[in-house]
Amino acid sequence: MRTRWRARHVLAHQDGGHALLRDGEVVWEDDVIVYVGPRYEGPVDEDRDLGASLVMPGLIDLDALTDIDHLVLDSWSDPERGRGLQWSLDYFTHRRHDVFTPDERNTVREYALVQLALHGITTYMPIASEVHSEWAEPYDEFVTMAETSRRLGLRGYLGPAYRSGVNVALPDGSRDVAFDEEQGRTGLRDAIRFLDHLDKLADPLLTGVLLPCRIETLTEELLRETADTARRRDVLVRLHALQGALERDLTQRRHGMTPMQLLEATGLFGTRLLVPHGVVVDRHPDVYGEDRGDLATLARAGVSVVHCPLTSLRYGSVLHSFDAYRQAGINLCLGTDSFPPDLVRGMDIGVHLAKLLDGRLDAAPAEHYIEAATLGGARALGRTDLGRLQAGAQADLVAFDIGDIRDGVQDDPVRTFLLNGTARQATNSVVAGRPVLVDRTLPGIDLTALQQRAQRLFERMRAAYSERDTLRRDADTLFPSTFPPFRAAQRP
């Protein structure tokens, strides 16, 4: 089947990079693009005129939230309440359990994947909080998630997260990691089992990867075994690292090495490694505040840094700096990591944070962020057929409506969209030539019912923080209202 999209603006691919095409057309047959240009001469089976839209490669989110949002709860706390959002040592030792049933967890996953699709993301690698799980992510849960992803038609790089330990708050208020090493070994076995499952499934939209949790929650043994497995199976590894001062302190305390040194010592630099955040390196003011070679080390190792500008800012962190990482030769790609899964808002935030850090208005122009969300993600995945609109590439594309008067007058369509728009303007998307988002809807999904179910689960997730808190404070104390509730006047 041959399909054509026509639009006012098309972000085409030419001479190794993106190029803006006015009044452009994209034509694909089955799952492969066959034409990108000003006017296609030839028959098509389906023809859509998307009008005042920007059509671009589908967005690639390599730290994609597949959870009910937690940032709304834990990005506002003062230090005292913040300690209550971690597991207490008593909860870890005696009372840890799943907050949700497997069926409820499946609803959480469906809700999250629907959110990705609604925001124009076509390729994702999942991330979810383990706070409300008994440990990490079970094999069976990911088998079901793979089926949900197939039903929606998204392109997923999947694997259950695993860990050897969990961050805990100690009775004196300090922080540490409590370990259950057998859980880590079981988790890696399940991750390998899931790789086998996807191999048998042989679905081109699903690729198995290894997704260990945070570096401070893994033993050196498990890190080495992860690296060995990745090389043996030729699969990607994504590991959250270099993301905070506490992580650096805990890693040095346990291993006598910085997180960067631990990555190298365990052989992970010899894998196709993705590192979400990658913020706390020698350039960071909490370390040395100057470049002592960390960026060059990451570049030599071929590490892709998954930059999550919106989430980082909301937790008070920032990359030092986008341009410095790029100039060092590091492949930068993007992730959302929390709600909303809006890479457009994230790119806008990143562009302007870079101006502040580097003291230049051109420190990280819009085009560099667009490249990270498309070509950078494709490079991280080792896919030369993703992240671009050109003949021979996979037909993964998204259309954003930029014709509303609230979008303002237009200069450059990409720059104006990042300044004035959000990913909620996604109207249509296609993955491997098959429609996913159609006229702002997801066929077969009752969004209203799904939102209601998700809200009920969120309320339970919120309440469950109380039993994990060292002081067992109730949810309203841990998460106070912005303003006091209105009191109705008493009747005489």
Side-chain angles (χ1 to χ4, degrees), residues 150-278:
R150 296 177 80 190
R151 177 161 50 87
L152 291 172
L154 294 172
R155 191 182 297 276
Y157 284 75
L158 306 182
Y162 55 94
R163 60 183 178 177
S164 313
V166 59
N167 286 280
V168 296
L170 301 180
D172 64 2
S174 63
R175 293 277 298 278
D176 204 350
V177 177
F179 284 89
D180 185 337
E181 296 187 25
E182 186 53 39
Q183 286 276 13
R185 299 184 191 100
T186 299
L188 177 58
R189 287 194 295 269
D190 280 349
I192 295 170
R193 184 180 166 205
F194 187 75
L195 295 178
D196 294 336
H197 172 72
L198 289 193
D199 285 347
K200 291 177 183 176
L201 208 56
D203 186 331
L205 292 185
L206 299 180
T207 302
V209 292
L210 293 174
L211 302 180
C213 296
R214 303 162 61 111
I215 190 170
E216 76 272 22
T217 66
L218 292 118
T219 61
E220 189 170 341
E221 171 199 9
L222 196 59
L223 290 169
R224 290 184 187 280
E225 290 183 3
T226 296
D228 291 343
T229 303
R231 285 190 291 269
R232 188 172 65 253
R233 300 292 295 257
D234 190 25
V235 296
L236 295 166
V237 180
R238 190 196 64 197
L239 173 62
H240 283 68
L242 312 172
Q243 66 175 325
L246 178 63
E247 169 210 289
R248 187 179 176 92
D249 176 64
L250 291 171
T251 303
Q252 287 182 304
R253 193 190 311 168
R254 180 173 178 83
H255 303 284
M257 292 181 273
T258 67
M260 183 84 75
Q261 292 166 338
L262 186 58
L263 289 172
E264 187 167 14
T266 54
L268 283 164
F269 276 169
T271 67
R272 296 187 288 153
L273 180 64
L274 286 71
V275 173
H277 307 299

Side-chain angles (χ1 to χ4, degrees), residues 27-285:
V27 181
W28 65 90
E29 185 167 11
D30 298 329
D31 64 336
V32 176
I33 295 172
V34 296
Y35 176 82
V36 181
R39 182 163 180 80
Y40 176 71
E41 301 291 345
V44 296
D45 300 295
E46 184 176 341
D47 195 1
R48 294 212 57 187
D49 186 348
L50 298 176
S53 293
L54 170 63
V55 170
M56 60 183 292
L59 300 178
I60 299 174
D61 184 349
L62 297 183
D63 205 32
L65 182 72
T66 49
D67 202 350
I68 293 179
D69 177 45
H70 56 277
L71 183 143
V72 69
L73 294 175
D74 65 4
S75 63
W76 306 95
S77 301
D78 59 41
E80 177 57 35
R81 283 200 305 271
R83 284 191 286 269
L85 308 187
Q86 303 295 320
W87 285 17
S88 68
L89 185 59
D90 176 65
Y91 182 82
F92 167 85
T93 306
H94 302 295
R95 296 181 290 106
R96 64 182 191 247
H97 66 93
D98 287 325
V99 173
F100 300 132
T101 68
D103 283 345
E104 289 168 340
R105 190 68 176 175
N106 294 338
T107 296
V108 169
R109 299 294 191 189
E110 180 183 16
Y111 174 80
L113 295 184
V114 162
Q115 293 285 358
L116 298 180
L118 289 172
H119 286 81
I121 290 162
T122 56
T123 297
Y124 73 99
M125 189 179 287
I127 174 67
S129 170
E130 304 89 17
V131 168
H132 43 274
S133 297
E134 182 180 6
W135 191 251
E137 294 179 319
Y139 166 85
D140 292 339
E141 186 175 294
F142 257 71
V143 170
T144 304
M145 180 179 171
E147 292 308 311
T148 302
S149 187
R150 296 177 80 190
R151 177 161 50 87
L152 291 172
L154 294 172
R155 191 182 297 276
Y157 284 75
L158 306 182
Y162 55 94
R163 60 183 178 177
S164 313
V166 59
N167 286 280
V168 296
L170 301 180
D172 64 2
S174 63
R175 293 277 298 278
D176 204 350
V177 177
F179 284 89
D180 185 337
E181 296 187 25
E182 186 53 39
Q183 286 276 13
R185 299 184 191 100
T186 299
L188 177 58
R189 287 194 295 269
D190 280 349
I192 295 170
R193 184 180 166 205
F194 187 75
L195 295 178
D196 294 336
H197 172 72
L198 289 193
D199 285 347
K200 291 177 183 176
L201 208 56
D203 186 331
L205 292 185
L206 299 180
T207 302
V209 292
L210 293 174
L211 302 180
C213 296
R214 303 162 61 111
I215 190 170
E216 76 272 22
T217 66
L218 292 118
T219 61
E220 189 170 341
E221 171 199 9
L222 196 59
L223 290 169
R224 290 184 187 280
E225 290 183 3
T226 296
D228 291 343
T229 303
R231 285 190 291 269
R232 188 172 65 253
R233 300 292 295 257
D234 190 25
V235 296
L236 295 166
V237 180
R238 190 196 64 197
L239 173 62
H240 283 68
L242 312 172
Q243 66 175 325
L246 178 63
E247 169 210 289
R248 187 179 176 92
D249 176 64
L250 291 171
T251 303
Q252 287 182 304
R253 193 190 311 168
R254 180 173 178 83
H255 303 284
M257 292 181 273
T258 67
M260 183 84 75
Q261 292 166 338
L262 186 58
L263 289 172
E264 187 167 14
T266 54
L268 283 164
F269 276 169
T271 67
R272 296 187 288 153
L273 180 64
L274 286 71
V275 173
H277 307 299
V279 170
V280 182
V281 296
D282 51 19
R283 291 177 55 89
H284 194 280

Side-chain angles (χ1 to χ4, degrees), residues 242-243 275-281 283-285 295 298 305-309 312-313 316-326 330-334 350 353-358 364 369:
L242 312 172
Q243 66 175 325
V275 173
H277 307 299
V279 170
V280 182
V281 296
R283 291 177 55 89
H284 194 280
L295 297 189
L298 291 172
V305 170
V306 187
H307 179 33
C308 306
S312 291
L313 178 65
S317 180
V318 64
L319 201 67
H320 293 262
S321 66
F322 187 91
D323 186 54
Y325 281 58
R326 197 171 184 271
I330 294 171
N331 180 50
L332 286 161
C333 42
L334 294 186
L353 281 175
K355 296 176 185 179
L356 288 173
L357 286 166
D358 288 350
Y369 266 90

Side-chain angles (χ1 to χ4, degrees), residues 413-430:
V414 171
R415 191 180 298 122
T416 304
F417 178 42
L418 258 61
L419 280 169
N420 299 345
T422 80
R424 293 187 183 191
Q425 290 163 237
T427 60
N428 294 270
S429 69
V430 168

